[in-house]
Short mmCIF file of all heavy atoms in Angstrom, two decimals:
data_model
loop_
_atom_site.label_atom_id
_atom_site.label_comp_id
_atom_site.label_asym_id
_atom_site.label_seq_id
_atom_site.Cartn_x
_atom_site.Cartn_y
_atom_site.Cartn_z
N GLY A 1 15.19 12.57 -6.67
CA GLY A 1 15.22 13.81 -5.92
C GLY A 1 13.85 14.28 -5.47
O GLY A 1 13.59 15.49 -5.42
N VAL A 2 12.97 13.32 -5.15
CA VAL A 2 11.60 13.66 -4.79
C VAL A 2 11.34 13.43 -3.31
O VAL A 2 12.10 12.75 -2.62
CB VAL A 2 10.60 12.83 -5.62
CG1 VAL A 2 10.74 13.17 -7.10
CG2 VAL A 2 10.79 11.33 -5.40
N SER A 3 10.24 14.00 -2.84
CA SER A 3 9.78 13.82 -1.47
C SER A 3 8.49 13.01 -1.50
O SER A 3 7.48 13.46 -2.04
CB SER A 3 9.54 15.19 -0.82
OG SER A 3 8.94 15.03 0.44
N VAL A 4 8.53 11.81 -0.94
CA VAL A 4 7.37 10.92 -0.99
C VAL A 4 6.35 11.35 0.06
O VAL A 4 6.67 11.52 1.24
CB VAL A 4 7.79 9.45 -0.75
CG1 VAL A 4 6.57 8.54 -0.66
CG2 VAL A 4 8.73 8.99 -1.86
N GLU A 5 5.10 11.52 -0.40
CA GLU A 5 4.05 11.94 0.53
C GLU A 5 3.00 10.87 0.76
O GLU A 5 2.17 11.00 1.66
CB GLU A 5 3.39 13.24 0.06
CG GLU A 5 2.71 13.17 -1.28
CD GLU A 5 2.04 14.49 -1.65
OE1 GLU A 5 2.20 15.48 -0.89
OE2 GLU A 5 1.36 14.53 -2.68
N LYS A 6 3.02 9.79 -0.02
CA LYS A 6 2.06 8.71 0.22
C LYS A 6 2.45 7.47 -0.57
O LYS A 6 3.30 7.52 -1.47
CB LYS A 6 0.64 9.12 -0.15
CG LYS A 6 0.40 9.39 -1.62
CD LYS A 6 -1.00 9.93 -1.88
CE LYS A 6 -1.26 11.23 -1.15
NZ LYS A 6 -2.59 11.81 -1.44
N ILE A 7 1.81 6.37 -0.21
CA ILE A 7 1.93 5.11 -0.93
C ILE A 7 0.56 4.77 -1.49
O ILE A 7 -0.45 4.90 -0.79
CB ILE A 7 2.44 3.99 -0.01
CG1 ILE A 7 3.91 4.25 0.37
CG2 ILE A 7 2.29 2.62 -0.65
CD1 ILE A 7 4.41 3.41 1.51
N LEU A 8 0.52 4.37 -2.76
CA LEU A 8 -0.73 3.96 -3.40
C LEU A 8 -0.66 2.47 -3.75
O LEU A 8 0.38 1.99 -4.20
CB LEU A 8 -0.97 4.77 -4.69
CG LEU A 8 -1.08 6.28 -4.55
CD1 LEU A 8 -1.20 6.93 -5.93
CD2 LEU A 8 -2.26 6.67 -3.68
N LEU A 9 -1.76 1.76 -3.53
CA LEU A 9 -1.83 0.34 -3.85
C LEU A 9 -2.95 0.09 -4.86
O LEU A 9 -4.09 0.53 -4.65
CB LEU A 9 -2.10 -0.49 -2.59
CG LEU A 9 -1.03 -0.46 -1.50
CD1 LEU A 9 -1.46 -1.33 -0.32
CD2 LEU A 9 0.32 -0.94 -2.03
N THR A 10 -2.62 -0.64 -5.93
CA THR A 10 -3.65 -1.03 -6.89
C THR A 10 -4.44 -2.23 -6.40
O THR A 10 -5.64 -2.35 -6.68
CB THR A 10 -3.06 -1.36 -8.28
OG1 THR A 10 -2.16 -2.48 -8.15
CG2 THR A 10 -2.32 -0.16 -8.86
N HIS A 11 -3.76 -3.13 -5.70
CA HIS A 11 -4.45 -4.31 -5.14
C HIS A 11 -3.56 -4.94 -4.07
O HIS A 11 -2.46 -4.46 -3.80
CB HIS A 11 -4.84 -5.30 -6.23
CG HIS A 11 -3.72 -5.94 -6.98
ND1 HIS A 11 -2.89 -5.24 -7.84
CD2 HIS A 11 -3.29 -7.23 -7.02
CE1 HIS A 11 -2.01 -6.07 -8.38
NE2 HIS A 11 -2.23 -7.29 -7.90
N GLY A 12 -4.06 -6.01 -3.46
CA GLY A 12 -3.42 -6.51 -2.26
C GLY A 12 -2.48 -7.68 -2.39
O GLY A 12 -2.06 -8.24 -1.39
N HIS A 13 -2.12 -8.09 -3.60
CA HIS A 13 -1.22 -9.23 -3.75
C HIS A 13 0.17 -8.93 -3.22
O HIS A 13 0.64 -7.79 -3.25
CB HIS A 13 -1.13 -9.65 -5.22
CG HIS A 13 -2.33 -10.43 -5.69
ND1 HIS A 13 -2.59 -10.65 -7.02
CD2 HIS A 13 -3.33 -11.05 -5.00
CE1 HIS A 13 -3.71 -11.38 -7.13
NE2 HIS A 13 -4.16 -11.63 -5.93
N ILE A 14 0.84 -9.98 -2.78
CA ILE A 14 2.13 -9.87 -2.08
C ILE A 14 3.17 -9.08 -2.86
O ILE A 14 3.89 -8.25 -2.30
CB ILE A 14 2.65 -11.30 -1.75
CG1 ILE A 14 4.01 -11.25 -1.06
CG2 ILE A 14 2.74 -12.16 -3.01
CD1 ILE A 14 3.96 -10.76 0.36
N ASP A 15 3.26 -9.30 -4.17
CA ASP A 15 4.31 -8.64 -4.95
C ASP A 15 4.03 -7.16 -5.17
O ASP A 15 4.90 -6.42 -5.63
CB ASP A 15 4.55 -9.36 -6.28
CG ASP A 15 3.29 -9.54 -7.11
OD1 ASP A 15 2.21 -9.72 -6.51
OD2 ASP A 15 3.37 -9.53 -8.35
N HIS A 16 2.82 -6.72 -4.84
CA HIS A 16 2.46 -5.30 -4.98
C HIS A 16 2.42 -4.59 -3.64
O HIS A 16 2.64 -3.38 -3.57
CB HIS A 16 1.09 -5.17 -5.66
CG HIS A 16 1.10 -5.57 -7.10
ND1 HIS A 16 1.06 -4.67 -8.14
CD2 HIS A 16 1.18 -6.80 -7.67
CE1 HIS A 16 1.11 -5.32 -9.28
NE2 HIS A 16 1.18 -6.62 -9.03
N ALA A 17 2.08 -5.32 -2.58
CA ALA A 17 1.82 -4.67 -1.29
C ALA A 17 2.71 -5.13 -0.15
O ALA A 17 2.63 -4.59 0.95
CB ALA A 17 0.35 -4.89 -0.91
N GLY A 18 3.58 -6.10 -0.40
CA GLY A 18 4.35 -6.69 0.68
C GLY A 18 5.20 -5.72 1.48
O GLY A 18 5.38 -5.86 2.68
N GLY A 19 5.75 -4.69 0.80
CA GLY A 19 6.63 -3.74 1.47
C GLY A 19 5.94 -2.46 1.90
O GLY A 19 6.59 -1.54 2.42
N ALA A 20 4.62 -2.36 1.70
CA ALA A 20 3.91 -1.10 1.94
C ALA A 20 3.98 -0.66 3.40
O ALA A 20 4.24 0.51 3.69
CB ALA A 20 2.46 -1.22 1.48
N LYS A 21 3.75 -1.59 4.32
CA LYS A 21 3.74 -1.23 5.74
C LYS A 21 5.12 -0.74 6.18
O LYS A 21 5.24 0.32 6.83
CB LYS A 21 3.32 -2.44 6.57
CG LYS A 21 3.39 -2.25 8.10
CD LYS A 21 2.27 -1.36 8.59
CE LYS A 21 2.06 -1.48 10.10
NZ LYS A 21 3.19 -1.06 10.93
N ALA A 22 6.16 -1.48 5.83
CA ALA A 22 7.51 -1.09 6.25
C ALA A 22 7.91 0.25 5.66
O ALA A 22 8.48 1.11 6.35
CB ALA A 22 8.51 -2.18 5.85
N LEU A 23 7.60 0.47 4.39
CA LEU A 23 7.98 1.73 3.74
C LEU A 23 7.16 2.89 4.30
O LEU A 23 7.70 3.99 4.53
CB LEU A 23 7.78 1.63 2.23
CG LEU A 23 8.30 2.81 1.41
CD1 LEU A 23 9.81 2.97 1.58
CD2 LEU A 23 7.96 2.64 -0.07
N ALA A 24 5.87 2.67 4.54
CA ALA A 24 5.03 3.72 5.10
C ALA A 24 5.52 4.12 6.49
O ALA A 24 5.58 5.32 6.83
CB ALA A 24 3.57 3.27 5.16
N ASP A 25 5.87 3.13 7.29
CA ASP A 25 6.37 3.42 8.64
C ASP A 25 7.69 4.17 8.58
O ASP A 25 7.91 5.13 9.32
CB ASP A 25 6.54 2.13 9.43
CG ASP A 25 5.21 1.50 9.84
OD1 ASP A 25 4.17 2.16 9.66
OD2 ASP A 25 5.23 0.34 10.32
N GLU A 26 8.55 3.75 7.69
CA GLU A 26 9.87 4.36 7.56
C GLU A 26 9.78 5.82 7.12
O GLU A 26 10.49 6.70 7.63
CB GLU A 26 10.70 3.56 6.56
CG GLU A 26 12.08 4.09 6.31
CD GLU A 26 12.80 3.27 5.25
OE1 GLU A 26 12.80 2.03 5.35
OE2 GLU A 26 13.35 3.87 4.31
N LEU A 27 8.88 6.09 6.16
CA LEU A 27 8.76 7.44 5.61
C LEU A 27 7.75 8.29 6.36
O LEU A 27 7.67 9.50 6.14
CB LEU A 27 8.36 7.36 4.13
CG LEU A 27 9.34 6.66 3.19
CD1 LEU A 27 8.77 6.60 1.78
CD2 LEU A 27 10.69 7.36 3.19
N GLY A 28 6.94 7.66 7.20
CA GLY A 28 5.92 8.40 7.94
C GLY A 28 4.82 8.94 7.03
O GLY A 28 4.36 10.06 7.19
N VAL A 29 4.38 8.11 6.08
CA VAL A 29 3.37 8.53 5.12
C VAL A 29 2.19 7.56 5.13
O VAL A 29 2.33 6.41 5.55
CB VAL A 29 3.95 8.61 3.68
CG1 VAL A 29 5.08 9.64 3.64
CG2 VAL A 29 4.44 7.25 3.20
N PRO A 30 1.01 8.00 4.67
CA PRO A 30 -0.15 7.12 4.63
C PRO A 30 -0.15 6.18 3.44
O PRO A 30 0.55 6.42 2.45
CB PRO A 30 -1.33 8.10 4.53
CG PRO A 30 -0.75 9.29 3.82
CD PRO A 30 0.68 9.39 4.27
N VAL A 31 -0.96 5.13 3.55
CA VAL A 31 -1.20 4.20 2.45
C VAL A 31 -2.63 4.41 1.98
O VAL A 31 -3.57 4.38 2.78
CB VAL A 31 -1.00 2.74 2.89
CG1 VAL A 31 -1.35 1.77 1.76
CG2 VAL A 31 0.41 2.51 3.39
N GLU A 32 -2.82 4.63 0.67
CA GLU A 32 -4.15 4.81 0.11
C GLU A 32 -4.41 3.73 -0.93
O GLU A 32 -3.58 3.47 -1.80
CB GLU A 32 -4.28 6.20 -0.52
CG GLU A 32 -4.09 7.32 0.50
CD GLU A 32 -4.31 8.71 -0.09
OE1 GLU A 32 -4.76 8.81 -1.25
OE2 GLU A 32 -4.03 9.69 0.62
N GLY A 33 -5.59 3.11 -0.83
CA GLY A 33 -5.97 2.03 -1.73
C GLY A 33 -5.52 0.68 -1.16
O GLY A 33 -4.77 0.63 -0.20
N PRO A 34 -6.02 -0.36 -1.77
CA PRO A 34 -6.98 -0.40 -2.87
C PRO A 34 -8.42 -0.27 -2.36
O PRO A 34 -8.65 0.40 -1.35
CB PRO A 34 -6.72 -1.79 -3.48
CG PRO A 34 -6.30 -2.63 -2.28
CD PRO A 34 -5.53 -1.69 -1.39
N HIS A 35 -9.37 -0.90 -3.06
CA HIS A 35 -10.75 -0.99 -2.57
C HIS A 35 -10.79 -1.99 -1.42
O HIS A 35 -10.00 -2.94 -1.37
CB HIS A 35 -11.66 -1.45 -3.72
CG HIS A 35 -13.12 -1.50 -3.37
ND1 HIS A 35 -13.68 -2.54 -2.68
CD2 HIS A 35 -14.12 -0.64 -3.64
CE1 HIS A 35 -14.97 -2.33 -2.53
NE2 HIS A 35 -15.28 -1.17 -3.11
N GLU A 36 -11.73 -1.80 -0.51
CA GLU A 36 -11.76 -2.64 0.70
C GLU A 36 -12.03 -4.11 0.40
O GLU A 36 -11.77 -4.97 1.25
CB GLU A 36 -12.80 -2.11 1.68
CG GLU A 36 -12.65 -2.70 3.07
CD GLU A 36 -13.50 -2.02 4.12
OE1 GLU A 36 -14.27 -1.10 3.78
OE2 GLU A 36 -13.37 -2.41 5.29
N ALA A 37 -12.51 -4.42 -0.79
CA ALA A 37 -12.72 -5.83 -1.15
C ALA A 37 -11.40 -6.61 -1.15
O ALA A 37 -11.43 -7.85 -1.12
CB ALA A 37 -13.39 -5.93 -2.51
N ASP A 38 -10.27 -5.93 -1.15
CA ASP A 38 -8.96 -6.61 -1.08
C ASP A 38 -8.42 -6.71 0.34
O ASP A 38 -7.26 -7.08 0.53
CB ASP A 38 -7.94 -5.92 -1.99
CG ASP A 38 -7.88 -6.57 -3.37
OD1 ASP A 38 -8.82 -7.31 -3.72
OD2 ASP A 38 -6.89 -6.33 -4.09
N ARG A 39 -9.25 -6.42 1.33
CA ARG A 39 -8.80 -6.59 2.73
C ARG A 39 -8.32 -8.02 2.97
O ARG A 39 -7.36 -8.25 3.70
CB ARG A 39 -9.95 -6.24 3.68
CG ARG A 39 -9.58 -6.36 5.15
CD ARG A 39 -10.78 -6.14 6.04
NE ARG A 39 -11.19 -4.75 6.09
CZ ARG A 39 -10.65 -3.84 6.90
NH1 ARG A 39 -9.64 -4.18 7.70
NH2 ARG A 39 -11.10 -2.61 6.91
N PHE A 40 -8.98 -8.98 2.33
CA PHE A 40 -8.60 -10.40 2.43
C PHE A 40 -7.12 -10.59 2.13
O PHE A 40 -6.40 -11.30 2.85
CB PHE A 40 -9.46 -11.20 1.45
CG PHE A 40 -8.93 -12.59 1.14
CD1 PHE A 40 -9.15 -13.64 2.00
CD2 PHE A 40 -8.22 -12.83 -0.04
CE1 PHE A 40 -8.66 -14.91 1.71
CE2 PHE A 40 -7.73 -14.09 -0.34
CZ PHE A 40 -7.96 -15.14 0.55
N TRP A 41 -6.64 -9.96 1.04
CA TRP A 41 -5.24 -10.13 0.64
C TRP A 41 -4.29 -9.38 1.57
O TRP A 41 -3.23 -9.90 1.94
CB TRP A 41 -5.06 -9.66 -0.80
CG TRP A 41 -5.69 -10.57 -1.81
CD1 TRP A 41 -6.82 -10.35 -2.54
CD2 TRP A 41 -5.24 -11.89 -2.17
NE1 TRP A 41 -7.09 -11.43 -3.34
CE2 TRP A 41 -6.14 -12.38 -3.14
CE3 TRP A 41 -4.16 -12.69 -1.78
CZ2 TRP A 41 -6.00 -13.65 -3.71
CZ3 TRP A 41 -4.01 -13.94 -2.35
CH2 TRP A 41 -4.91 -14.40 -3.30
#
């Protein structure tokens, strides 16, 4: 029964971040994290 206001990522591996873009777009919320050193992933 909550209202999601953002998505947080601990790191960029597939099993943690694979759905972030689709969910962020669907909910209209920002994605915060991880550190930019995980841009590669």
Side-chain angles (χ1 to χ4, degrees):
V2 297
S3 173
V4 175
E5 61 178 5
K6 66 185 60 177
I7 290 167
L8 300 176
L9 297 179
T10 62
H11 64 292
H13 283 165
I14 179 72
D15 53 327
H16 291 255
K21 175 74 163 63
L23 187 62
D25 288 351
E26 179 183 312
L27 298 177
V29 299
V31 176
E32 299 184 8
H35 184 280
E36 194 170 3
D38 266 17
R39 182 186 286 276
F40 163 81
W41 289 107

